[in-house]
Amino acid sequence: MKFLRFLLPYTYFYASRVQQIKYNVYHLIMDWVVPFALLTYFSGFDVVGSLLKFALAYLAFISVYEIGYLGNDVFSVRHETNPRRRVKNFDPSNAEVGLWVVARLAVWLGISWYLQVLTNPIWLVYYGVLVLFFYLHNVLKEKELKVMTFVNLAFTRYLAPIFIFLTPEQITLLVGPVLLNYVLYRTLMYIDSKGMLNMPNRTSPAYKVNFYVLAGGVSLVMSMLAQSWIPLAINAYYLAFWFAVKLSGKEAPQTD
């Protein structure tokens, strides 16, 4: 019955990437708070409705995203010289992996049907891009090219729980701030973690505070051009978080 361990969505993500409550809190702060706050704001502060939409859309997203994780951790590692084993003694059969994939596809289809987006071209193209770039991220050998697949994955991952509920104008307003404050930040962390940059101070809270201070200039310009406080507020949120971490004297969990 060991195949039941990773049958449900999020279970493999938790076991292989999160593992501890502190990492769940880190993902909550870095990946979920801002998108959820934006969805709530754009919905007229319908907190309960926004929470339901966010949870369903995230569950649909992680169902697909975990398939990419499984592809990387089960199949791609077989061709690596020094593979990174995310889960101890993890060597499932092809049948087990197939069952986990089918279960996740069923969840994605069910949520897509419930949200009435199963035939929505925006929804389908979004997930088509997500699947394509996760596949490329798993099969490309050149680390330099993986940087661009990572950019695509970071951007789609961040907006996945909310994009389908927003208007084109709202999405356009968010693209710049997301690229600057989340995608660029995460990409720099990723590049350094893969040994393609020399950023010895990247894990320090001081570096992260300075990053968001310096990103404040572009954020201010974007807010002025868009005549909206949102770009500057997104920058201020991450700046405040890392400033609080710096004041606490502790280091937040790191993810690449």
Side-chain angles (χ1 to χ4, degrees):
M1 299 291 286
K2 64 178 182 178
F3 73 91
L4 292 175
R5 181 184 179 190
F6 298 128
L7 183 63
L8 298 178
Y10 196 79
T11 54
Y12 185 72
F13 174 62
Y14 183 85
S16 62
R17 267 77 182 173
V18 182
Q19 299 174 338
Q20 300 178 41
I21 295 298
K22 66 179 181 180
Y23 287 101
N24 257 324
V25 174
Y26 179 78
H27 282 292
L28 173 68
I29 294 171
M30 294 298 294
D31 297 358
W32 302 334
V33 167
V34 172
F36 175 70
L38 291 169
L39 179 60
T40 303
Y41 171 73
F42 287 132
S43 69
F45 297 99
D46 178 10
V47 177
V48 175
S50 296
L51 182 60
L52 177 61
K53 290 177 179 178
F54 189 94
L56 288 173
Y58 180 80
L59 187 58
F61 156 75
I62 200 64
S63 296
V64 173
Y65 211 69
E66 277 188 317
I67 295 174
Y69 281 146
L70 287 167
N72 179 74
D73 297 353
V74 176
F75 301 110
S76 296
V77 296
R78 295 175 181 175
H79 306 287
E80 296 177 2
T81 304
N82 297 304
R84 181 182 180 183
R85 300 290 181 180
R86 298 277 189 168
V87 179
K88 186 178 181 180
N89 299 322
F90 182 67
D91 189 23
S93 66
N94 291 344
E96 287 175 312
V97 175
L99 183 61
W100 297 336
V101 169
V102 169
R104 282 158 175 75
L105 290 177
V107 170
W108 182 84
L109 286 169
I111 293 174
S112 300
W113 173 83
Y114 179 80
L115 295 177
Q116 299 182 344
V117 294
L118 194 53
T119 59
N120 187 319
I122 297 175
W123 180 262
L124 297 177
V125 169
Y126 196 95
Y127 276 97
V129 168
L130 180 65
V131 170
L132 172 62
F133 278 92
F134 213 137
Y135 171 76
L136 292 174
H137 192 72
N138 285 344
V139 301
L140 287 174
K141 304 301 182 184
E142 296 182 47
K143 291 190 294 185
E144 293 81 0
L145 292 178
K146 283 178 176 283
V147 172
M148 287 310 300
T149 59
F150 183 88
V151 167
N152 281 271
L153 292 175
F155 182 77
T156 52
R157 176 175 58 205
Y158 194 78
L159 291 177
I162 66 172
F163 78 94
I164 199 62
F165 308 117
L166 304 182
T167 66
E169 293 76 16
Q170 292 165 346
I171 289 291
T172 300
L173 177 62
L174 299 183
V175 167
V178 170
L179 287 173
L180 176 65
N181 293 285
Y182 183 79
V183 176
L184 175 60
Y185 168 79
R186 287 297 308 275
T187 301
L188 288 174
M189 301 300 104
Y190 173 81
I191 295 173
D192 185 59
S193 73
K194 300 304 179 184
M196 292 182 283
L197 277 179
N198 181 21
M199 298 173 60
N201 296 322
R202 71 155 176 121
T203 61
S204 70
Y207 167 82
K208 298 171 191 297
V209 168
N210 291 332
F211 175 92
Y212 284 106
V213 167
L214 296 173
V218 175
S219 299
L220 177 59
V221 170
M222 285 191 290
S223 279
M224 296 298 294
L225 292 175
Q227 297 184 8
S228 170
W229 54 268
I230 289 178
L232 195 57
I234 293 175
N235 172 260
Y237 168 82
Y238 289 110
L239 174 60
F241 168 68
W242 287 114
F243 187 70
V245 171
K246 181 181 178 182
L247 288 179
S248 73
K250 299 179 180 180
E251 289 194 9
Q254 304 295 324
T255 58
D256 48 64

